[in-house]
Amino acid sequence: MTLDIRGLSKFYGTFQALNEIDLSVGDSEFVCLLGPSGCGKTTLLRVIAGLESFETGEMMLGGRDLATIGARDRGFGIVFQSYSLFPQMTAAQNIGYGLKLRQRPRAEISARVEELLALVRLEQFADRLPWQLSGGQQQRVAIARALAVQPALLLLDEPLSALDARVRAGLRTEIRQMQKRLGIPTIMVTHDQEEALTMADRVVCMSAGRIEQIGSPAEIYARPATRFVADFVGSSTLLSAARAAGFGVTPPPGQGDSLFALRPEDVLIREDAAAAGRVRSITFLGNVSRVEVDWQGETILAETHRLPGFGEGASVDLSLQPGAGVWVQP
Ligand code: ATP
């Protein structure tokens, strides 16, 4: 089933939280809503869930108008950031709760709960109460609970953000593999670009209530459409057309006010006593070092393999990899 959102706008009083949102989510697709705090991603997820109203536009699921269906009857699975398990219920009872509400036979509930406990690899923990589980385990129970009713759509609101880095990375892979296996269309909110780039089929990059760009992780990274996306996803140096000309690149006809977005890995750096660049800082990142270069008053980010052979203050020359950079809207 496909979710189709057209021209959707939402206001809180006079404040416009969502501005003309157009978005389709296909069968089995994993879509991430990515953007900074306050850009409207949670609002969009809550509108889709039916927990918030909207003023204009339409939202259809498999041809059915969602505006006519209450949150409860949409049958969507929702997982929130904070552990929202029922504290007095065991893991198994939490997972079976939705089925119990729907008055499914007891044997069916216990079979389904067992299946889901296995899916999230918590067979040994069926009888634990939430406080007896780690954060990662609690979120796995929350995911199993959301999946119990075979939702038409799975909605995840920053489900990993309260977990430590290692657990988070493990759960990313787990959630993604589970979603692929089950083929449930999924929308996940995150402000973490790495999470979005590693998990999503498509990333929806949002800013100030608008969609800036929708694309595969590779498209969003390699061909950001706007200045915002170039800046927010990964690191970029943004050069004016006049500055870019110094590197032998010119904007497409009629787009003189475009900016040239350069990834640090596209900038080659070489020590040269006679050159115009000055190394301002070097940050060791393990496999590479990030080098900030003062280039005729402009700061340009470059990258070297491991540690460079020069230090801060060194004179360096910069050049671009063939095909480096993209022109973006200012
Ligand atoms: P975060 O990552 O911080 O959760 P977000 O992108 O999910 O941010 P939203 O929670 O969707 O952002 O909020 C979008 C905007 O709408 C914010 O400016 C917020 O202050 C505003 N907003 C959210 N809920 C309400 C509300 N109930 N009443 C008024 N304004 C609200």
Side-chain angles (χ1 to χ4, degrees), residues 12 15 17 36-43 158:
Y12 290 114
F15 174 75
S37 182
C39 72
K41 19 185 222 305
T42 298
T43 299
E158 306 237 18

Short mmCIF file of all heavy atoms in Angstrom, two decimals, residues 12 15 17 36-43 158, ligand 1:
data_model
loop_
_atom_site.label_atom_id
_atom_site.label_comp_id
_atom_site.label_asym_id
_atom_site.label_seq_id
_atom_site.Cartn_x
_atom_site.Cartn_y
_atom_site.Cartn_z
N TYR A 12 -0.01 25.70 14.12
CA TYR A 12 -0.30 25.77 15.55
C TYR A 12 -0.65 27.24 15.79
O TYR A 12 0.26 28.07 15.80
CB TYR A 12 0.91 25.39 16.40
CG TYR A 12 1.29 23.92 16.35
CD1 TYR A 12 2.50 23.52 15.77
CD2 TYR A 12 0.48 22.95 16.92
CE1 TYR A 12 2.87 22.19 15.75
CE2 TYR A 12 0.85 21.61 16.90
CZ TYR A 12 2.04 21.23 16.31
OH TYR A 12 2.40 19.92 16.29
N PHE A 15 1.32 29.95 13.80
CA PHE A 15 2.62 29.41 13.41
C PHE A 15 2.45 28.23 12.45
O PHE A 15 1.75 27.27 12.75
CB PHE A 15 3.41 28.97 14.65
CG PHE A 15 4.69 28.26 14.33
CD1 PHE A 15 5.80 28.98 13.89
CD2 PHE A 15 4.79 26.88 14.45
CE1 PHE A 15 6.98 28.33 13.58
CE2 PHE A 15 5.97 26.22 14.14
CZ PHE A 15 7.07 26.95 13.71
N ALA A 17 3.63 25.06 11.03
CA ALA A 17 4.60 24.01 11.35
C ALA A 17 4.92 23.14 10.15
O ALA A 17 6.02 22.60 10.04
CB ALA A 17 4.06 23.14 12.49
N PRO A 36 16.85 19.47 11.39
CA PRO A 36 17.24 19.97 12.70
C PRO A 36 16.04 20.08 13.63
O PRO A 36 14.89 19.98 13.19
CB PRO A 36 17.80 21.36 12.39
CG PRO A 36 17.15 21.76 11.11
CD PRO A 36 16.90 20.50 10.34
N SER A 37 16.31 20.30 14.89
CA SER A 37 15.27 20.44 15.90
C SER A 37 14.29 21.53 15.49
O SER A 37 14.69 22.61 15.06
CB SER A 37 15.95 20.80 17.23
OG SER A 37 14.97 20.89 18.22
N GLY A 38 13.00 21.22 15.59
CA GLY A 38 11.98 22.23 15.31
C GLY A 38 11.58 22.34 13.85
O GLY A 38 10.75 23.19 13.50
N CYS A 39 12.11 21.49 12.96
CA CYS A 39 11.81 21.64 11.53
C CYS A 39 10.44 21.06 11.17
O CYS A 39 9.96 21.25 10.05
CB CYS A 39 12.89 21.01 10.67
SG CYS A 39 12.88 19.22 10.71
N GLY A 40 9.83 20.30 12.09
CA GLY A 40 8.48 19.81 11.83
C GLY A 40 8.39 18.31 11.59
O GLY A 40 7.31 17.79 11.28
N LYS A 41 9.48 17.58 11.76
CA LYS A 41 9.44 16.14 11.45
C LYS A 41 8.52 15.36 12.38
O LYS A 41 7.73 14.53 11.92
CB LYS A 41 10.84 15.50 11.44
CG LYS A 41 11.92 16.26 12.16
CD LYS A 41 13.26 15.65 12.01
CE LYS A 41 13.96 15.70 13.37
NZ LYS A 41 14.02 17.08 13.97
N THR A 42 8.57 15.67 13.68
CA THR A 42 7.68 14.96 14.61
C THR A 42 6.23 15.34 14.33
O THR A 42 5.33 14.49 14.36
CB THR A 42 8.03 15.31 16.07
OG1 THR A 42 9.37 14.86 16.30
CG2 THR A 42 7.11 14.63 17.05
N THR A 43 5.98 16.61 14.03
CA THR A 43 4.62 17.04 13.68
C THR A 43 4.11 16.26 12.48
O THR A 43 2.98 15.77 12.49
CB THR A 43 4.60 18.56 13.39
OG1 THR A 43 5.03 19.24 14.57
CG2 THR A 43 3.23 19.04 12.99
N GLU A 158 12.31 8.91 16.44
CA GLU A 158 13.63 8.89 17.09
C GLU A 158 13.76 7.70 18.05
O GLU A 158 14.09 7.90 19.23
CB GLU A 158 13.86 10.20 17.87
CG GLU A 158 13.66 11.43 17.00
CD GLU A 158 14.89 12.33 16.98
OE1 GLU A 158 15.99 11.87 17.35
OE2 GLU A 158 14.73 13.49 16.57
P1 ATP B 1 12.70 17.94 17.43
O1 ATP B 1 13.75 17.16 16.70
O2 ATP B 1 13.26 18.97 18.34
O3 ATP B 1 11.64 17.08 18.05
P2 ATP B 1 10.93 18.45 15.19
O4 ATP B 1 11.52 18.68 13.86
O5 ATP B 1 10.35 17.11 15.44
O6 ATP B 1 11.98 18.83 16.30
P3 ATP B 1 8.33 19.46 15.82
O7 ATP B 1 8.21 18.82 17.15
O8 ATP B 1 7.56 18.86 14.71
O9 ATP B 1 9.84 19.57 15.39
O10 ATP B 1 7.93 20.98 15.96
C1 ATP B 1 7.88 21.86 14.83
C2 ATP B 1 7.56 23.25 15.29
O11 ATP B 1 6.22 23.31 15.77
C3 ATP B 1 8.43 23.75 16.41
O12 ATP B 1 8.76 25.09 16.17
C4 ATP B 1 7.57 23.61 17.64
O13 ATP B 1 7.89 24.61 18.60
C5 ATP B 1 6.18 23.82 17.09
N1 ATP B 1 5.20 23.05 17.86
C6 ATP B 1 5.20 21.71 18.07
N2 ATP B 1 4.13 21.32 18.80
C7 ATP B 1 3.43 22.45 19.08
C8 ATP B 1 2.22 22.72 19.80
N3 ATP B 1 1.51 21.73 20.35
N4 ATP B 1 1.83 24.00 19.87
C9 ATP B 1 2.51 24.98 19.28
N5 ATP B 1 3.66 24.80 18.59
C10 ATP B 1 4.11 23.55 18.48
#
